[in-house]
Amino acid sequence: MTSSFPPGFRWGVATSAFQIEGATTADGRGPSIWDTFATLPGAVAGGDTGEPAAEHYHRLPEDLALLTGLGVDAYRFSVSWPRVQPSGRGRPERRGLDFYRRLVEGLRDKGIEPFLTLYHWDLPQALEDEGGWRSRDTAERFAEYAVLVHEELGDVVDHWTTLNEPYPCAIAGYAEGRHAPGAREGHGALAAAHHLLLGHGLAVRAMRARATSGQRFGVVLNQSPALPVTRSDADIAAAERQDTLLRRQFTDPLFGGRYAPGLTTMFDGVSDFSFRHDGDLETIGQPLDYLGVNYYYRLHVADAPHREPDPARRTAADIGVDTTRLPDVPRTGMGWPVEPDGLTEALVGLHHRYPGLPPVYVTENGCVYPDIVDERGVFADEQRIAYLREHIEAARAAMAAGVDLRGYFCWSLLDNFEWAHGYKHRFGLVHVDYPTQRRTPRASYHWYRDHIAACRTA
Ligand code: FCB
């Protein structure tokens, strides 16, 4: 397996600010929508919040040492917008920026390439109070914030990702209410999806105008291919609706120069799409240097009645599908079906659908299983190792089928705050004991280290 990856293929790990940093009130940081959401009764399992997370903000040297020990080529992390602009606009908070400079310089010292993500879901609460992503103004604010960070860190960061997964931001956040800010809307959620894309385009255009030649700009999307559970016309149409909502709503304007066909019909009576302005499509479709694909599972879709019959009261998640009928395949500790060939399918499918697709990275892939600690105190996570091995193999198969894949990032370096699941589910290659903050590399950490080393010498 190792010899099939070309020299220069990047092996990495990924994290995000809110999930690991903790220190939610340190050094002038403002509240984000996740700080607010986590205080709502029942919003996050166990009543968990962004404290303590993995206290990464205060444990940077230790975590840099873990990255060095792993031998990764690249580290994907996100900048917390409310650490840099506590109220989402205006003068930067110097102490927040200094933290990211220390991080990035620390990475560079160790020869690790920083992949910076500007937005991994932690919108400043002050902007949500003015409408959040429903509002076009938030797209403008995002571009300003992007330029600010780019001006501050452009000398040490070459890989600039605008958004992580606009789909859950818009749909889980503004339609399903499962994620911050916890809204359940139709038009508002579709507007949020559009404004996230618009913010991305404005940010790329503005940063590129100021960029040096080595800098690269991209976006990260979650890609769960949707398979109909039967070959009936109804199930096939349901799978198409699911795919339009989750994938093509984003990939068509980004890489296909058009809005996803079918989206307006699906939401007839839900939204008039008046948030689309002339010129937006061109802004959104800025040429990109890479696409990041996050893959965890495939969706199996059956036709189902809408939960709300009246379109005017329907949320943008209510598209007449049932995604609970899973095939008889192994599941992770979160119940997600393990289907590595879904990763190949996602990558190859993008490659065929969009001829001008930029080079691709797998920017997240990983899993959760209950911890098994052996008699020597070792976290013997053989299931995670098998999961990673199979998915890396699936990524390699996509390359053999013509996909220009440049790297793979495992999610995640550390156990962390898994959004609405709180601290219950652990994705880390490194176990974190939250009360003591002791870090213990799991067997998968050692396996991944050896895998990376073997690829280098192959
Ligand atoms: C992705 C998110 C990431 C993490 C993984 C498990 O959707 O981008 O923050 O929570 O899922």
Side-chain angles (χ1 to χ4, degrees):
M1 180 166 96
T2 45
S3 60
S4 334
F5 289 95
F9 187 90
R10 287 191 164 110
W11 297 100
V13 280
T15 62
S16 90
F18 191 77
Q19 293 179 275
I20 62 167
E21 285 179 1
T24 55
T25 54
D27 291 346
R29 180 188 179 278
S32 78
I33 54 175
W34 272 94
D35 295 284
T36 310
F37 184 67
T39 64
L40 303 178
V44 176
D48 292 343
T49 69
E51 297 284 358
E55 284 183 6
H56 171 71
Y57 192 73
H58 295 305
R59 292 170 186 272
L60 190 51
E62 198 180 345
D63 293 342
L64 284 169
L66 285 166
L67 286 164
T68 315
L70 195 51
V72 285
D73 305 295
Y75 175 54
R76 175 175 177 249
F77 65 97
S78 78
V79 171
S80 158
W81 188 349
R83 234 183 242 302
V84 169
Q85 282 185 312
S87 61
R89 49 161 50 90
R91 220 177 41 79
E93 170 51 72
R94 186 60 37 202
R95 293 168 293 177
L97 281 168
D98 286 349
F99 169 74
Y100 296 107
R101 177 161 287 278
R102 285 200 302 280
L103 165 61
V104 165
E105 289 182 348
L107 293 169
R108 286 235 169 272
D109 277 353
K110 317 276 187 209
I112 300 171
E113 179 72 22
F115 274 60
L116 182 153
T117 300
L118 286 159
Y119 186 70
H120 200 125
W121 306 359
D122 44 358
L123 186 71
Q125 180 62 40
L127 294 185
E128 178 57 28
D129 295 341
E130 297 170 23
W133 288 108
R134 303 171 194 85
S135 160
R136 196 173 172 90
D137 188 57
T138 298
E140 304 277 353
R141 299 285 77 73
F142 176 68
E144 279 175 17
Y145 152 71
V147 166
L148 188 157
V149 180
H150 182 257
E151 273 171 357
E152 292 285 342
L153 298 177
D155 59 328
V156 275
V157 175
D158 284 338
H159 288 83
W160 292 84
T161 302
T162 52
L163 308 174
N164 176 72
E165 299 191 1
Y167 168 77
C169 297
I171 301 302
Y174 289 88
E176 296 173 329
R178 280 192 301 120
H179 282 185
R184 293 191 167 80
E185 300 172 19
H187 178 82
L190 295 166
H194 182 74
H195 295 142
L196 280 153
L197 286 169
L198 185 65
H200 154 84
L202 291 169
V204 170
R205 184 188 275 156
M207 289 189 290
R208 206 186 281 284
R210 297 161 169 83
T212 57
S213 60
Q215 291 183 344
R216 304 273 177 271
F217 299 93
V219 67
V220 165
L221 305 175
N222 55 313
Q223 296 287 288
S224 289
L227 282 187
V229 295
T230 73
R231 297 309 300 165
S232 76
D233 289 350
D235 287 343
I236 291 171
E240 273 168 15
R241 290 196 296 280
Q242 179 64 53
D243 214 41
T244 299
L245 184 70
L246 192 151
R247 298 204 292 168
R248 296 190 63 179
Q249 177 171 211
F250 303 95
T251 51
D252 275 13
L254 286 166
F255 305 113
R258 62 175 182 186
Y259 293 115
L263 197 66
T264 46
T265 323
M266 257 167 76
F267 292 112
D268 194 20
V270 175
S271 172
D272 59 5
F273 288 82
S274 52
F275 44 77
R276 290 178 179 171
H277 293 190
D278 286 350
D280 284 1
L281 206 46
E282 197 197 334
T283 305
I284 294 168
Q286 297 298 304
L288 293 180
D289 304 305
Y290 62 92
L291 163 65
V293 167
N294 293 352
Y295 176 80
Y296 291 93
Y297 51 80
R298 186 151 61 187
L299 288 166
H300 297 269
V301 187
D303 184 47
H306 287 283
R307 286 183 291 279
E308 165 56 59
D310 177 3
R313 294 156 47 101
R314 203 176 275 163
T315 76
D318 187 0
I319 57 168
V321 301
D322 171 9
T323 56
T324 61
R325 286 164 53 183
L326 295 183
D328 189 16
V329 294
R331 315 256 185 101
T332 69
M334 280 171 90
W336 294 353
V338 180
E339 296 188 275
D341 50 337
L343 173 57
T344 316
E345 184 189 339
L347 296 172
V348 174
L350 284 165
H351 170 66
H352 287 311
R353 176 165 280 160
Y354 305 105
L357 196 74
V360 179
Y361 291 88
V362 173
T363 36
E364 284 183 30
N365 175 238
C367 57
V368 160
Y369 287 103
D371 270 321
I372 296 170
V373 186
D374 73 12
E375 62 287 352
R376 293 163 302 154
V378 173
F379 288 91
D381 55 345
E382 294 305 320
Q383 288 170 299
R384 179 176 283 109
I385 294 172
Y387 180 101
L388 296 177
R389 185 186 279 124
E390 288 170 11
H391 284 78
I392 289 170
E393 181 56 25
R396 194 204 54 75
M399 293 170 80
V403 175
D404 183 3
L405 188 71
R406 302 289 177 91
Y408 171 95
F409 293 75
C410 172
W411 182 270
S412 183
L413 175 67
L414 302 165
D415 287 342
N416 59 57
F417 176 84
E418 180 45 35
W419 308 116
H421 299 286
Y423 296 105
K424 190 168 135 218
H425 292 305
R426 294 172 173 271
F427 273 95
L429 297 177
V430 177
H431 176 270
V432 177
D433 177 52
Y434 293 111
T436 61
Q437 288 294 325
R438 189 182 139 90
R439 276 111 162 102
T440 310
R442 293 188 169 95
S444 55
Y445 173 96
H446 302 293
W447 175 84
Y448 194 44
R449 177 198 61 197
D450 293 348
H451 166 82
I452 296 170
C455 286
R456 282 222 185 93
T457 53

